[in-house]
């Protein structure tokens, strides 16, 4: 008993580490659903999308990204256990009203691209989709640290109008910072893509494992190459204003099962350092 008591702080610390390693469950469009299973899960799906499965002290934890375009209401998550049995869990997605944001972009071509730009944009979308479809078996550390020092300038999910025209909702979190501020990996990962895109400027994509991908846009500089392994806190680039921007900032995206989710759900502190 005494020995167990002596071990208790260590056990509590271990439990805290496990608890911290998960995003907050927020079952809304653009949010994250965290499901626990006492039976070890071999694979899990939302529709046809494979979901991240993490080991836990009791069994498994399934982490699902809910698309921003999802309607409120029930979604079914399919689990397959190690013994081949399957189970369906129903999760109710709550409605969430994301605010509207109207922006004025001076470079009109970045809002209404020319025919010659469209070819480039389509090629870049292919690269992006390939990056987001990456699946590596590495178990991701989902307790992220802020990738940059600065001020949150646009939250995730804002319904955007650019120069008065409706555009896709904001798929990431914008952090305003002076040009040249170092951008750091929020967790260990592997560089999938380091490229220069029409809308996003200089971009870096990191693979954290189990379909968890993070994305950094508008960089002035990329400091990593595809295939390179990075550690949490390692500099991967610098804040810039390349691509479609109103000023220097980092656009930070987090993707689960190929879908953009709110990066703030992966952070412990509400504000960047
Ligand atoms: Zn952004």
């Amino acid at each position: 008993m005494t020995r167990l008591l002596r071990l208790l702080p260590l056990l509590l610390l271990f439990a805290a580490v496990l608890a911290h390693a998960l995003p907050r469950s927020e079952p809304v469009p653009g949010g994250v659903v965290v499901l626990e299973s006492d039976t070890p899960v071999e694979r899990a799906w939302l529709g046809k999308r494979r979901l991240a499965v993490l080991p836990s002290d009791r069994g498994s934890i399934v982490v699902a990204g809910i698309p921003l375009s999802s309607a409120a209401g029930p979604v079914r998550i399919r689990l397959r256990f190690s013994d081949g049995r399957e189970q369906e869990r129903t999760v109710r997605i709550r409605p969430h009203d994301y605010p509207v944001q109207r922006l004025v972009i001076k470079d009109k071509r970045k809002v209404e691209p020319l025919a010659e730009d469209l070819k480039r944009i389509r090629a870049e979308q292919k690269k992006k989709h390939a990056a987001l479809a990456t699946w590596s078996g590495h178990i991701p550390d989902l307790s992220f640290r802020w990738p940059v020092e600065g001020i949150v300038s646009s939250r995730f999910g804002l319904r955007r109008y650019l120069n008065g025209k409706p555009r896709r909702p904001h798929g990431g979190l914008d952090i305003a910072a002076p040009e040249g501020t170092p951008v750091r990996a929020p967790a260990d990962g592997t560089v999938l893509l380091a490229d220069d895109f029409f809308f996003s400027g200089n971009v870096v994509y990191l693979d954290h494992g189990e379909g968890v991908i993070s994305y950094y846009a508008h960089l002035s500089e990329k400091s990593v190459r595809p295939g390179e392994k990075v550690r949490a806190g390692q500099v991967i680039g610098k804040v810039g204003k390349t691509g479609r921007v109103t000023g220097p900032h980092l656009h930070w995206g987090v993707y689960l099962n190929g879908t953009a989710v709110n990066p703030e759900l992966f952070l412990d502190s509400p504000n960047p350092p």
Side-chain angles (χ1 to χ4, degrees):
M1 188 64 195
T2 334
R3 215 173 126 206
L4 195 67
L5 277 177
R6 240 183 281 140
L7 273 174
L8 198 61
L10 199 69
L11 288 173
L12 285 175
L13 182 73
F14 186 58
V17 166
L18 275 180
H20 273 130
L22 288 172
R24 285 195 296 286
S25 195
E26 198 169 282
V28 299
V32 170
V33 167
V34 178
L35 281 184
E36 286 186 55
S37 165
D38 290 339
T39 312
V41 174
E42 191 186 75
R43 277 208 188 184
W45 298 266
L46 172 64
K48 285 188 174 140
R49 303 291 189 113
R50 187 175 167 186
L51 303 178
V53 177
L54 313 177
S56 77
D57 48 349
R58 289 198 298 163
S60 297
I61 289 167
V62 176
V63 186
I66 306 300
L68 255 175
S69 56
S70 287
V75 294
R76 273 174 285 278
I77 291 176
R78 186 158 62 94
L79 310 179
R80 187 200 289 154
F81 302 115
S82 318
D83 61 8
R85 276 185 313 120
E86 292 203 355
Q87 188 185 70
E88 249 188 14
R89 299 256 194 111
T90 302
V91 179
R92 193 155 289 277
I93 303 304
R94 297 193 310 254
H96 186 81
D97 235 349
Y98 288 101
V100 166
Q101 183 184 45
R102 293 172 196 279
L103 293 175
V104 175
I105 306 287
K106 288 200 189 94
D107 183 356
K108 290 197 173 62
R109 191 169 162 182
K110 289 279 194 282
V111 180
E112 290 173 275
L114 305 176
E116 62 199 85
D117 300 327
L118 291 174
K119 201 174 153 199
R120 177 182 167 190
I121 292 164
R122 272 195 288 271
E124 291 169 1
Q125 275 166 347
K126 268 192 192 159
K127 286 190 202 173
K128 176 184 172 165
H129 287 141
L132 295 184
T134 303
W135 198 277
S136 62
H138 182 79
I139 299 300
D141 173 9
L142 295 182
S143 64
F144 284 177
R145 53 181 84 186
W146 284 89
V148 73
E149 289 180 22
I151 296 163
V152 171
S153 52
S154 289
R155 298 211 117 88
F156 174 86
L158 299 175
R159 292 177 291 151
R160 279 189 156 169
Y161 290 81
L162 305 184
N163 301 352
K165 297 190 181 356
R167 287 292 179 266
R168 294 203 306 157
H170 192 218
L173 180 69
D174 287 352
I175 304 157
E179 204 165 352
T181 307
V183 174
R184 298 171 188 278
D188 293 356
T190 305
V191 180
L192 284 174
L193 198 59
D195 213 324
D196 175 17
F197 284 178
F198 182 80
F199 289 122
S200 311
N202 284 317
V203 294
V204 169
Y205 284 79
L206 299 181
D207 170 28
H208 302 285
E210 290 286 314
V212 181
I213 314 283
S214 65
Y215 159 65
Y216 308 81
H218 310 306
L219 303 172
S220 61
E221 242 177 68
K222 304 161 284 201
S223 359
V224 287
R225 284 163 192 230
E228 207 177 317
K229 295 222 182 308
V230 295
R231 307 294 289 178
Q234 186 180 328
V235 174
I236 55 170
K238 287 179 177 166
V239 171
K241 50 180 177 15
T242 55
R244 184 175 69 189
V245 294
T246 54
H249 73 279
L250 172 70
H251 172 97
W252 179 31
V254 175
Y255 293 81
L256 288 177
N257 45 275
T259 198
V261 294
N262 184 359
E264 291 187 68
L265 298 175
F266 296 75
L267 296 162
D268 272 345
S269 60
N271 291 303

